[in-house]
Amino acid sequence: MKQEKMQEKQDTLRKQEKVTILAIETSCDETAAAVVRNGREVLSSALYSQIDIHKQYGGVVPEIASRNHVEKLPHIVKEALERSGAAWEEIDALAVTAGPGLVGALLTGVSYAKALAYALDKPLFAINHMEGHICANYITHPQLEPPFICLIASGGHTNIIKVCDYGVYEKMGQTRDDAAGEAFDKVARILGLSYPGGPNVQKLAEEGDPNRYVFARPFRGQTHLDFSFSGIKTAVVNLVHGMEMRKEPYSKADVAASFQKAVVELLLDNVFEAARRTGIKKIVLGGGVSANRELREQALRRQEANEIYFPALCDCTDNAAMIASAAFYAIRRGCRAADLTLNADPSCELI
Ligand code: KG4
Ligand code: ZN
């Protein structure tokens, strides 16, 4: 699309009362497409999960993920469009996750979205995956508005973000090593549970005693709001290996429950402290780990003067509706559409 024509189209879109966006998400092992109106009304959300394929390898194999995206994406996009009841002419804009994520996986979505935008002559918006995780909450909670404090805890990231306004972010804390989801996945592997570890550790933890083992909490007494999960993960490895070498009987459920308790406490201590420091009462959780039942229950238990929001379970993990929601607000605040030079950026930061 010619530059001037594109600008004109974007200006119209920005003011348009109803904006319908088709979004694509392929940053990891979910092939997803969705059609969303005005950032909150999901007309359709189609998803193909590759979990069963990667399970046999104990984690995501990037090359296999990319190949499956290439194979499944055209069908998923078609399914999303058909289920939305919209025709191509009713789609105002396209959106795609450009990063962060696995480079090959991201490239499949970015290339497909660019080809669609070119063929249909529609503007395309490049979206940051982490922003998508924040926006997942706008879908579950139609009344939710910034400002709020958001904890994003996924397989690759753990951040505390002050969401000052739509698209206006301040980072208040981040992990200095592993992400929370990554720690869940690694501990699951040590305990012989399959990928993805988070839901399986949660399930096992339900039968265990969370006070059986106490793992040291890093950064206790520090003023910053950063996280560290690698120490807890190593402590679990050493504990389990030690007991196995000594042939000491132990309960895997107790290990899972104690580990989960430690991670949940770390996450919540910092996010509640961020809310206290800023005077912002609304706390929002997002990302795959926000599906964790213990995290959700403990957040509600601690809330007192705070309001707690988390996405519906289906909106916690990767999906394309959250990408469409982020694109809607990007359009509203005047972000520029991408051109055909758009590339995947596997390690881009939200801020
Ligand atoms: O947001 P997501 O789907 O993908 C990334 O952007 O990384 O998050 C996936 C992560 C995985 O590490 C998975 O183990 C974790 O979220 N997860 C959970 C739960 N469900 C998914 N962790 C703890 N408890 C859960 N119920
Ligand atoms: Zn994600």
Side-chain angles (χ1 to χ4, degrees):
M1 199 186 290
K2 289 253 165 50
Q3 199 60 43
E4 312 82 70
K5 206 176 138 217
M6 174 67 90
Q7 193 56 52
E8 209 178 289
K9 215 170 192 173
Q10 270 182 244
D11 290 342
T12 320
L13 255 188
R14 196 177 172 187
K15 295 175 205 139
Q16 206 167 293
E17 199 186 321
K18 279 190 180 167
V19 179
T20 308
I21 299 175
L22 184 141
I24 289 172
E25 152 66 43
T26 61
S27 66
C28 190
D29 58 346
E30 321 281 358
T31 315
V35 179
V36 178
R37 186 164 292 151
N38 284 6
R40 309 236 179 188
E41 189 192 342
V42 180
L43 305 186
S44 68
S45 184
L47 187 135
Y48 167 74
S49 171
Q50 302 179 11
I51 283 177
D52 285 341
I53 301 170
H54 297 286
K55 220 180 219 171
Q56 53 190 309
Y57 305 102
V60 180
V61 182
E63 188 52 37
I64 296 178
S66 311
R67 262 185 275 152
N68 274 280
H69 287 314
V70 169
E71 208 175 285
K72 297 291 184 320
L73 191 53
H75 306 286
I76 291 294
V77 169
K78 189 164 176 257
E79 186 184 327
L81 189 71
E82 280 174 6
R83 285 190 2 217
S84 75
W88 274 122
E89 303 79 65
E90 294 166 271
I91 302 294
D92 298 302
L94 301 165
V96 66
T97 304
L102 302 170
V103 66
L106 288 165
L107 266 175
T108 63
V110 168
S111 310
Y112 194 87
K114 284 199 292 185
L116 266 185
Y118 182 71
L120 300 167
D121 201 22
K122 291 187 192 291
L124 167 65
F125 293 85
I127 300 300
N128 181 296
H129 183 78
M130 306 318 290
E131 182 162 32
H133 277 306
I134 297 173
C135 294
N137 279 282
Y138 297 142
I139 291 169
T140 308
H141 307 286
Q143 311 306 326
L144 176 66
E145 305 251 13
F148 53 79
I149 299 295
C150 186
L151 167 73
I152 319 175
S154 70
H157 293 80
T158 305
N159 291 321
I160 295 182
I161 309 279
K162 180 178 166 190
V163 180
C164 309
D165 199 348
Y166 292 104
V168 183
Y169 305 115
E170 273 174 35
K171 197 186 277 177
M172 295 188 70
Q174 62 189 335
T175 181
R176 296 202 181 172
D177 41 57
D178 294 351
E182 195 179 350
F184 266 98
D185 294 337
K186 284 181 184 162
V187 164
R189 213 183 294 181
I190 297 156
L191 296 176
L193 304 170
S194 67
Y195 177 84
N200 293 324
V201 170
Q202 174 187 306
K203 202 159 164 238
L204 185 61
E206 276 159 19
E207 299 152 25
D209 172 6
N211 300 313
R212 176 68 184 83
Y213 303 102
V214 177
F215 298 110
R217 311 286 198 265
F219 302 148
R220 266 275 150 93
Q222 301 276 336
T223 51
H224 63 72
L225 297 175
D226 285 351
F227 301 102
S228 166
F229 296 103
S230 77
I232 295 183
K233 176 198 69 190
T234 308
V236 174
V237 173
N238 291 343
L239 175 75
V240 170
H241 285 176
M243 291 187 296
E244 284 182 353
M245 271 171 55
R246 293 191 299 274
K247 302 212 177 347
E248 195 177 307
Y250 72 99
S251 153
K252 287 187 176 181
D254 288 351
V255 177
S258 304
F259 160 78
Q260 180 175 263
K261 181 183 177 196
V263 172
V264 164
E265 274 183 18
L266 279 180
L267 291 171
L268 293 182
D269 283 354
N270 284 10
V271 74
F272 274 82
E273 176 60 15
R276 196 193 59 77
R277 282 186 197 177
T278 54
I280 296 176
K281 302 247 178 304
K282 278 185 230 173
I283 292 181
V284 173
L285 311 180
V289 180
S290 66
N292 186 270
R293 191 182 301 154
E294 181 67 11
L295 179 72
R296 294 159 86 106
E297 284 178 7
Q298 290 300 337
L300 291 172
R301 204 162 293 160
R302 282 191 194 202
Q303 68 181 324
E304 294 179 1
N306 301 93
E307 291 168 40
I308 308 289
Y309 298 86
F310 29 73
L313 283 177
C314 61
D315 298 330
C316 289
T317 44
D318 295 348
N319 64 84
M322 67 185 197
I323 304 301
S325 178
F328 172 76
Y329 291 105
I331 292 171
R332 281 289 195 254
R333 62 179 187 268
C335 292
R336 291 182 75 88
D339 60 24
L340 292 178
T341 62
L342 176 67
N343 205 351
D345 186 351
S347 51
C348 60
E349 297 277 346
L350 178 62
I351 19 170

